[in-house]
Amino acid sequence: MNYTIRNAEKSDLPEILNLIKELAKFENEPDAVEVDIKELEEEGFGPKALFTCFVAEVDEKIEGMALVYFRYSTWKGRTVHLEDLIVREAMRGTGLGSALYKRVIEYAREQGVKRTEWVVLDWNTPAIDFYKRSGASVFTDWYTVQMDEKSMKKFLEK
């Protein structure tokens, strides 16, 4: 199978948003996506872009994407965070996910960071196994902590 991994362009955003929604459905959160194309364009393609996105194309159709951004570690300095890597269900097992993953790691090396990091759901054993085989460390002693908009408001009003 011939494929291309390339940097996303503004014109790719409708398909990128579709992939984000597909990932939300896969993660059993089909109604959780609030971001829209306008926000993705402003925050990913403006003068101070907050993220970089790579897409995987097969026959000129976007079949996968990986979205990354910089974080800062007080121990390591600047790091690359992989927010999402998704391949359309029909294309899983074709090597597109591995190609996107490799591009993310290449990008991190190009940026000179000391660490690439991401989270994975504990029930996504195929992904966990893949990451372990690739040489990544999968930590089970850290918890992801989040506070949604409603909770932030409630906390600040106390």
Side-chain angles (χ1 to χ4, degrees):
M1 174 180 64
N2 290 329
Y3 61 82
T4 302
I5 306 297
R6 61 171 176 80
N7 284 27
E9 300 169 358
K10 286 181 190 180
S11 61
D12 300 326
L13 289 173
E15 286 305 311
I16 289 169
L17 184 57
N18 286 337
L19 284 162
I20 292 168
K21 290 176 180 178
E22 187 172 328
L23 178 62
K25 185 177 174 185
F26 173 77
E27 292 182 351
N28 300 314
E29 295 280 347
D31 300 319
V33 177
E34 296 179 13
V35 70
D36 60 21
I37 291 173
K38 182 177 184 262
E39 187 174 356
L40 288 169
E41 182 175 336
E42 288 171 357
E43 296 187 349
F45 295 90
K48 293 186 179 184
L50 297 176
F51 64 83
T52 297
C53 187
F54 303 104
V55 294
E57 277 185 329
V58 177
D59 297 327
E60 298 182 21
K61 182 174 186 252
I62 295 173
E63 299 287 2
M65 54 84 72
L67 189 143
V68 300
Y69 59 89
F70 291 107
R71 291 177 60 177
Y72 194 83
S73 165
T74 56
W75 293 2
K76 301 293 181 185
R78 197 168 62 133
T79 68
V80 167
H81 180 83
L82 170 58
E83 179 64 20
D84 285 325
L85 190 156
I86 179 72
V87 172
R88 290 192 200 282
E89 187 173 6
M91 297 301 290
R92 293 183 192 146
T94 63
L96 282 183
S98 294
L100 281 164
Y101 180 75
K102 181 179 180 187
R103 181 64 189 111
V104 167
I105 303 305
E106 288 172 344
Y107 174 78
R109 295 288 293 159
E110 290 164 5
Q111 299 303 311
V113 300
K114 295 181 181 139
R115 182 169 71 201
T116 305
E117 55 201 336
W118 59 96
V119 297
V120 61
L121 290 166
D122 61 356
W123 54 260
N124 192 348
T125 53
I128 291 168
D129 293 343
F130 171 80
Y131 296 141
K132 286 180 179 178
R133 283 192 312 273
S134 79
S137 299
V138 179
F139 298 105
T140 58
D141 54 346
W142 289 80
Y143 290 98
T144 299
V145 180
Q146 296 180 341
M147 187 178 280
D148 64 16
E149 188 176 17
K150 182 179 174 182
S151 298
M152 289 186 292
K153 184 177 186 289
K154 186 176 177 180
F155 172 78
L156 293 172
E157 288 174 349
K158 285 183 181 177

